[in-house]
């Protein structure tokens, strides 16, 4: 597969009815692979995250996904910069793992290895040595491949937060701790909310002349964010603000292919957002061809992702929310975030 640099090119859309581009048919969510986290109640979440039943359900997910998507749910495009290659690996029905390679030494790290067979196939095809597994959080669809990969790669270390029960964890990480893999440097950032120990990983692109790369797990998706299963709106807001602080040119590599669903929902909130219309048009075209929609940039995300626009008056007005007299700004933004999350959960359940 050839490599391409990230492109900001977008089609010029003609908005159609219902928030979709004119002349383009939307494929309903029900035709896609199921997301095990929707709809989800407290009891189901506890079973999935904390018991062996969750692992058995994950194994069933893997089996069904391999049968339904023998070549992956999307066509990924590797991205190359001098000295580094990032290979998205489509796994399960909508997850992404990422193989990040130091092309000089042939050493590599993988982020969130859901399906060990798919990840191992990529490792063998690239001819690299797996030195590290970075887990964003404990959920099986992000950590289920750890054990098998560690058995195959004796020198591989598993990194993540000690606050999450990450399988096979060998090297617990503190907030802002850095790890080197060959010439690659990753910084771990604590971003609680989705889980109490959720972490994201930032690849320093400076030595390679590239932007930083944010591997966001279930904190941040293209036009969306993860559900705060183990945190408050205030906690999630602080984690999202931390991500945004990395800079507008930072490349966003999310843990799931949720772009079309998230953009369609966002278009129902901001009807006159031209950046959102353009991104939706592009995403529809990508998904019709089963092509991956990642990466985006944090600068882009701030123009259309409602979870990053809690400070925008147009979104607040669309939600019918106004800041109270004497209300702390961040407290108000958390209230806006809570309402966006509530509406998104209702949208998912329909």
């Amino acid at each position: 597969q050839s490599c391409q640099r990230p492109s900001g090119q977008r089609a010029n859309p003609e908005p159609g009815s219902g928030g979709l581009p004119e002349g383009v048919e939307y494929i309903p969510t029900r035709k896609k692979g199921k997301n095990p986290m929707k709809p989800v109640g407290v009891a189901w979440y506890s079973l999935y995250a904390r018991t062996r039943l969750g692992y058995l359900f994950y194994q069933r997910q893997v089996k069904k996904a391999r049968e339904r998507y023998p070549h992956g749910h999307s066509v990924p495009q590797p991205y190359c910069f001098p000295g580094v290659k990032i290979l998205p690996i489509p796994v399960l029905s909508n997850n992404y793992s990422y193989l990040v390679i130091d092309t000089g030494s042939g050493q590599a790290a993988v982020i969130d290895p859901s399906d060990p067979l798919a990840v191992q196939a990529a490792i063998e095809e690239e001819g690299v040595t797996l030195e590290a597994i970075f887990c964003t959080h404990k959920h099986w669809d992000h950590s289920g491949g750890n054990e098998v990969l560690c058995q195959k790669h004796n020198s591989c270390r598993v990194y993540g937060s000690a606050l999450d029960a990450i399988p096979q964890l060998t090297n617990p990480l503190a907030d802002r701790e850095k790890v080197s893999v060959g010439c690659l440097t990753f910084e771990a950032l604590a971003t609680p909310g989705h889980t109490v120990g959720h972490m994201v990983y930032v690849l320093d692109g400076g030595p390679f002349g590239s932007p930083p790369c944010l591997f966001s797990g279930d904190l941040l998706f293209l036009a969306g964010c993860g559900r705060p299963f183990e945190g408050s709106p205030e906690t999630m807001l602080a984690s999202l603000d931390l991500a945004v602080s990395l800079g507008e040119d930072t490349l966003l590599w999310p843990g799931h292919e949720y772009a079309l669903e998230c953009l369609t929902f966002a278009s129902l909130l901001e009807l006159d957002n031209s950046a959102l219309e353009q991104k939706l048009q592009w995403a529809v075209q990508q998904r019709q061809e089963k092509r991956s929609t990642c990466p985006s940039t944090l600068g882009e995300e701030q123009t259309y992702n409602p979870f990053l626009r809690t400070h925008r008056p147009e979104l607040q007005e669309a939600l019918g929310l106004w800041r109270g007299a004497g209300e702390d700004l961040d407290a108000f933004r958390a209230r806006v975030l809570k309402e966006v999350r509530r509406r998104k959960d209702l949208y998912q359940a329909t």
Side-chain angles (χ1 to χ4, degrees), residues 250-291:
T250 300
L251 298 178
L252 173 65
W253 301 93
H256 289 270
E257 180 56 72
Y258 289 160
L260 195 53
E261 177 183 311
C262 289
L263 286 163
T264 304
F265 166 73
S267 71
L268 302 177
L269 298 181
E270 294 194 66
L271 302 179
D272 299 320
N273 186 326
S274 60
L276 176 54
E277 291 174 357
Q278 290 179 18
K279 192 68 175 185
L280 178 57
Q281 165 99 19
W282 174 82
V284 168
Q285 294 172 345
Q286 289 290 102
R287 296 312 297 153
Q288 283 183 334
E289 298 172 0
K290 301 298 182 184
R291 293 189 177 277

Side-chain angles (χ1 to χ4, degrees), residues 137-168:
H137 61 295
K138 64 190 174 187
H139 292 158
W140 291 112
D141 62 322
H142 293 258
S143 64
N146 290 4
E147 182 176 2
V148 171
L149 289 172
C150 286
Q151 290 172 353
K152 288 182 175 291
H153 304 273
N154 294 332
S155 65
C156 181
R157 313 296 289 173
V158 179
Y159 297 87
S161 171
L163 298 178
D164 266 16
I166 293 173
Q168 314 303 126

